[in-house]
């Protein structure tokens, strides 16, 4: 289990609640934390804009700077091989960051409908929620496949 704190720390715990590792990659509140399916990498995003992906077993860590608070992060299930993750927040954009020949590259998949509140990945499918509803994107075919509108009058 991984959790973030208001002070910018990320704590990784075992199933009994014992702390396995602690690091402080942020200087402001951690807004979301995720772990890849292998349990090797933990990603975190923060009120101050950076997204940090750290290896739990080695010293490998990467920081990606964004100019606005990042509310959500989701690591690719096979992050160890592909080094891909998705982020979103107050910039009103869903961004997929992937490793290329000359470093990492951001690709904006969706924008203009308000802040991204949460993101989840299952296989090659990516889902996110914003003020208008929930959208589902097929990353393998690079196209949006579904939209669930927010219920009128909902908070």
């Amino acid at each position: 289990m991984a959790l973030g704190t208001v002070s910018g720390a990320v704590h990784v715990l075992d199933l009994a609640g014992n702390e396995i590792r602690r690091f402080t990659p942020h200087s402001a509140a951690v807004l979301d934390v995720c772990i890849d399916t292998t349990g090797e990498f933990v990603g975190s995003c923060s009120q101050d804009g950076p997204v940090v992906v750290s290896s739990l077993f080695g010293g490998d860590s990467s920081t990606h700077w964004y100019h606005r608070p990042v509310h959500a992060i989701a690591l690719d299930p096979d992050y160890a091989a592909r080094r891909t993750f998705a982020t979103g927040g107050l910039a009103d954009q869903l961004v997929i960051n992937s490793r290329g020949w000359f470093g990492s590259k951001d690709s904006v998949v969706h924008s203009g409908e308000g802040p991204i509140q949460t993101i989840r990945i299952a296989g090659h499918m990516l889902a996110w929620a914003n003020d208008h509803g929930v959208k589902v994107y097929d990353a393998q075919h690079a196209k949006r496949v579904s939209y669930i509108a927010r219920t009128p009058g909902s908070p």
Side-chain angles (χ1 to χ4, degrees), residues 98-150:
S98 56
R99 181 182 286 180
W101 287 98
F102 301 108
S104 63
K105 176 182 108 172
D106 285 340
S107 301
V108 176
V109 173
H110 182 80
S111 65
E113 289 187 349
I116 305 297
Q117 303 299 332
T118 190
I119 305 168
R120 294 296 176 257
I121 295 178
H124 58 86
M125 304 302 281
L126 175 70
W128 69 93
N130 61 20
D131 292 344
H132 292 270
V134 176
K135 294 170 178 70
V136 179
Y137 180 80
D138 182 343
Q140 185 175 19
H141 296 102
K143 67 179 186 176
R144 196 167 76 187
V145 295
S146 182
Y147 167 66
I148 303 164
R150 189 177 101 197

Side-chain angles (χ1 to χ4, degrees), residues 88-101:
L90 291 184
D92 297 351
Q93 297 178 331
L94 178 77
V95 176
I96 295 179
N97 180 288
S98 56
R99 181 182 286 180
W101 287 98

Side-chain angles (χ1 to χ4, degrees), residues 57-75:
F57 306 120
D60 187 23
S61 179
S62 62
T63 302
H64 307 270
W65 294 93
Y66 297 94
H67 299 287
R68 300 185 92 181
V70 179
H71 285 189
I73 180 171
L75 295 178

